Amino acid sequence: MTETATTPGHDVADLGLAAEGVRRIEWAEREMPVLRLIRERFERDRPLDGIRIGACLHVTTETANLMRTLKAGGADVVLAASNPLSTKDDVAAALVREYGIDVYARRGEDRDTYYRHLNAVADRHPNITMDDGCDLVSLLHSERPGQIGEVMAGTEETTTGVIRLKAMAADGALGFPVVAVNEAQTKHLFDNRYGTGQSTLDGILRATNILIAGRRVVVAGYGWVGRGIAARMSGHGAHVAVVEVDPVRALEALMDGFVVMTHTDAARWGDLFVTATGNLNVFRREHFEAMRDGAIMANSGHFDAELDLTALRALAEGHVRDVRENVQEFDIGGKRLNLIAEGRLVNLGAAEGHPAAVMDMSFANQALSAEYVAAHHAELEPKVYVVPEAIDAEVARLKLAALGIELEPMTAEQAAYVTSWQHGT
Ligand SMILES: NC(=O)c1ccc[n+]([C@@H]2O[C@H](COP(=O)([O-])OP(=O)(O)OC[C@H]3O[C@@H](n4cnc5c(N)ncnc54)[C@H](O)[C@@H]3O)[C@@H](O)[C@H]2O)c1
């Protein structure tokens, strides 16, 4: 790591990649009109003046545009990766060299480096934490509790992080308020469903170049992410089966036109398996043993725990080889099973994550939530808050306006009708 008076603090792979990073960050920005409008307002109003923001997010072109927005608002920003495989090294370099933001992230960093980077963020004593998966909040609570009092609030990007935070709040262990950005409708309805749906397919295709049409695809989990993946796979001509543990979600999958089956049946049936449950060991030893030769597995849930990789490695007894970039083949006794992106988020590990047009809304929620907690933290308790409805509506309104789409206003008569109780049959 180098720290000089002029270069921000950093540990990135190669600062020489900055020019390419800038080109790609600017390309993403064209698809992020909402964030751009917010940045222009932040430049004028400086709502984050004097606030230190510690972010643990995927280091992508879209995140770079969020970091620029926060800095324009006056914040002092430091960023580490929220996943060792999702870092785009050119983006990390550009943020340091061109945008003056401290970045600690290298693609492929090992576990020790990952946590050293997270600690580098914590060393800056953030007043607002911005997490994707709750790792920074967890670090502060488990290893650096003395700093909890310095944090006015946090924000959390993803479903898995929100689940962890709610568990902490229920145990009385959460030390400061956190806004669950994932719970905003303009986040999960679009990012989790359309963003992950498309980019998961993209990651699988880039890694394997397989034909989806006619393939038997098993989607584990029919939440926002699973729905998006199943819809896009189906759109490309796959036969899609869904495995679920929740009866309502399973019924929904059935009525959306998919086959619903157990994990055991699906293991025998499928050619391509994609997990999106936020749970662990969804496919495990007995399922690997039942899969066909040549089966391909990928995960789009937050952690690399959805496929039981320990069991997979044990079954292969060392017969593991790289067969393509981002694809490992496990020979489990005459049968070859393929794993994409080491079982980590396939859309970020083997592709570029969500398209910028979707992250525009997710990160607009992040920026406006940071502004909100900076102004209101004194009124908040140490619990998990949903994004205020006004922010959600503002993000949708700005997105529609940016797309040149006008909303139909209600007539005065209609507005009175939908709020009255006197009208009957
Ligand atoms: N790849 C990405 O870019 C990306 C984007 C958004 C969210 N995520 C992550 O994807 C995961 C899912 O997010 P979501 O918003 O769809 O969550 P969700 O809670 O809406 O859906 C998860 C679904 O999985 C089901 N499930 C749980 N355990 C299961 C099991 N053992 N077998 C089958 N189904 C099971 C649940 O019943 C639920 O319907 C989370 O880890 C989230 O953090 C990833």
Side-chain angles (χ1 to χ4, degrees):
M1 289 183 216
T2 47
E3 304 257 359
T4 66
T6 46
T7 314
H10 65 276
D11 183 23
V12 301
D14 180 2
L15 284 179
L17 300 172
E20 172 64 9
V22 170
R23 277 195 292 276
R24 295 203 312 113
I25 291 165
E26 288 176 354
W27 174 258
E29 190 198 9
R30 295 183 202 187
E31 292 278 309
M32 304 184 87
V34 178
L35 204 57
R36 193 170 54 241
L37 285 172
I38 293 171
R39 191 169 77 227
E40 285 163 12
R41 180 171 66 73
F42 274 17
E43 266 162 11
R44 292 192 304 274
D45 298 352
R46 309 273 297 178
L48 303 172
D49 248 342
I51 292 175
R52 285 185 303 277
I53 298 184
C56 174
L57 299 170
H58 300 293
V59 181
T60 61
T61 53
E62 295 79 18
T63 299
N65 282 304
L66 172 61
M67 296 298 108
R68 292 171 68 195
T69 305
L70 300 172
K71 192 172 178 205
D76 180 6
V77 187
V78 51
L79 171 69
S82 59
N83 184 297
L85 263 196
S86 61
T87 297
K88 307 301 172 202
D89 287 326
D90 58 340
V91 171
L95 278 170
V96 173
R97 182 162 270 179
E98 302 296 328
Y99 300 109
I101 287 166
D102 297 35
V103 180
Y104 298 90
R106 290 167 175 267
R107 182 179 153 93
E109 62 196 21
D110 61 19
R111 196 183 148 77
D112 286 350
T113 311
Y114 180 82
Y115 279 99
R116 187 160 48 80
H117 286 165
L118 218 52
N119 274 294
V121 170
D123 286 345
R124 295 289 298 280
H125 294 263
N127 313 119
I128 293 179
T129 61
M130 203 167 261
D131 252 321
D132 187 332
C134 194
D135 279 350
L136 182 56
V137 168
S138 295
L139 177 82
L140 292 177
H141 283 74
S142 58
E143 288 172 34
R144 308 178 67 140
Q147 281 182 236
I148 289 175
E150 299 169 0
V151 182
M152 50 176 72
T155 64
E156 170 55 53
E157 173 78 5
T158 198
T159 315
T160 286
V162 173
I163 289 169
R164 288 167 114 191
L165 288 162
K166 285 185 176 161
M168 286 172 79
D171 281 351
L174 188 62
F176 48 80
V178 181
V179 176
V181 168
N182 187 71
E183 307 302 90
Q185 297 199 62
T186 46
K187 199 279 183 182
H188 64 252
L189 280 178
F190 302 91
D191 167 321
N192 300 30
R193 184 163 47 170
Y194 302 116
T196 319
Q198 177 173 311
S199 58
T200 297
L201 184 67
D202 183 17
I204 292 168
L205 292 182
R206 288 194 203 195
T208 63
N209 197 28
I210 57 171
L211 182 70
I212 299 295
R215 201 163 293 262
R216 299 180 185 199
V217 178
V218 176
V219 178
Y222 203 65
W224 294 110
V225 172
R227 289 178 182 113
I229 297 170
R232 293 298 171 256
M233 288 290 176
S234 174
H236 277 247
H239 304 284
V240 178
V242 168
V243 291
E244 248 299 344
V245 292
D246 178 317
V248 177
R249 294 270 168 98
L251 195 58
E252 185 185 351
L254 192 73
M255 299 220 178
D256 282 345
F258 303 117
V259 184
V260 175
M261 47 176 92
T262 63
H263 294 63
T264 308
D265 289 343
R268 278 190 229 109
W269 179 85
D271 305 312
L272 169 62
F273 298 82
V274 190
T275 50
T277 67
N279 211 335
L280 86 171
N281 298 338
V282 176
F283 290 110
R284 16 181 216 278
R285 187 182 183 104
E286 64 263 35
H287 305 124
F288 302 144
E289 284 173 338
M291 285 177 190
R292 302 153 183 249
D293 179 35
I296 298 170
M297 292 179 275
N299 166 49
S300 220
H302 189 77
F303 288 115
D304 58 348
E306 304 215 7
L307 300 161
D308 184 352
L309 300 179
T310 310
L312 187 60
R313 284 190 204 104
L315 276 171
E317 294 174 345
H319 299 290
V320 182
R321 61 183 187 122
D322 294 334
V323 283
R324 281 173 69 92
E325 191 184 349
N326 282 321
V327 185
Q328 281 180 312
E329 178 194 84
F330 292 73
D331 188 329
I332 63 163
K335 235 178 11 179
R336 293 155 306 169
L337 303 184
N338 299 292
L339 176 69
I340 307 180
E342 300 171 17
R344 297 186 191 277
L345 298 157
V346 63
N347 58 332
L348 282 141
E352 294 174 66
H354 297 164
V358 153
M359 294 314 292
D360 189 26
M361 292 188 282
S362 305
F363 284 166
N365 276 294
Q366 283 281 12
L368 296 179
S369 294
E371 178 184 37
Y372 174 80
V373 297
H376 296 280
H377 64 97
E379 304 144 35
L380 304 177
E381 291 165 32
K383 57 183 198 185
V384 180
Y385 286 86
V386 294
V387 173
E389 263 177 46
I391 290 183
D392 222 346
E394 173 72 356
V395 172
R397 196 186 60 74
L398 288 173
K399 189 72 173 177
L400 284 171
L403 294 169
I405 291 164
E406 244 181 281
L407 263 192
E408 175 68 30
M410 274 197 251
T411 63
E413 182 194 28
Q414 288 166 343
Y417 180 75
V418 296
T419 50
S420 73
W421 53 270
Q422 288 97 341
H423 296 274
T425 322

